[in-house]
Amino acid sequence: MPARFTKLDNAIKAGLKNMAAKAAIDQIEYWEEQLKDVDVSGSKGILADLHSLKTKLQADEVDGDAVKKLLADLGSKTAKVAGRVDDKSVSEHLEKVGKGLEEAA
């Protein structure tokens, strides 16, 4: 597994539903950092959704339904991007991340 995805993978395994907002925001910022230089069709949409998710989690009152929808969208988009990545290891890992996000939604 690529080291850059280890924190994200561990967070998904631990359970996103139980994650504190601060920890979730840390994960989002980590993922944004990993994707900032990725030039694959669909990656910019993921970054936009991550920014939106971070904003929603920083709100005074978190809209759980909106967060669930964004997690599902991120899962779907991540799975689609996985098929466009040349590195097989990264592609396989992104598929797992996508599935984990969809399951967390």
Side-chain angles (χ1 to χ4, degrees):
M1 168 182 10
R4 64 183 174 192
F5 295 114
T6 302
K7 284 177 68 175
L8 180 59
D9 189 54
N10 289 341
I12 289 171
K13 286 179 184 174
L16 296 177
K17 292 178 184 178
N18 300 321
M19 185 180 285
K22 170 70 172 115
I25 290 167
D26 287 346
Q27 285 299 315
I28 291 166
E29 289 172 348
Y30 172 76
W31 196 5
E32 287 173 324
E33 181 67 25
Q34 300 311 307
L35 288 174
K36 73 177 183 176
D37 295 325
V38 173
D39 190 22
V40 174
S41 176
S43 63
K44 301 301 181 212
I46 291 172
L47 282 169
D49 281 356
L50 288 171
H51 178 74
S52 179
L53 180 59
K54 185 165 58 171
T55 300
K56 290 186 184 322
L57 290 173
Q58 291 171 325
D60 290 335
E61 248 183 78
V62 176
D63 180 346
D65 290 336
V67 169
K68 286 179 185 180
K69 182 180 180 336
L70 272 171
L71 287 175
D73 288 348
L74 279 165
S76 175
K77 288 177 182 177
T78 301
K80 287 178 185 173
V81 165
R84 299 179 187 130
V85 175
D86 291 333
D87 184 320
K88 184 178 178 179
S89 175
V90 172
S91 178
E92 289 174 353
H93 187 70
L94 286 174
E95 284 182 35
K96 290 179 189 174
V97 168
K99 187 174 185 176
L101 291 169
E102 288 177 324
E103 290 173 359

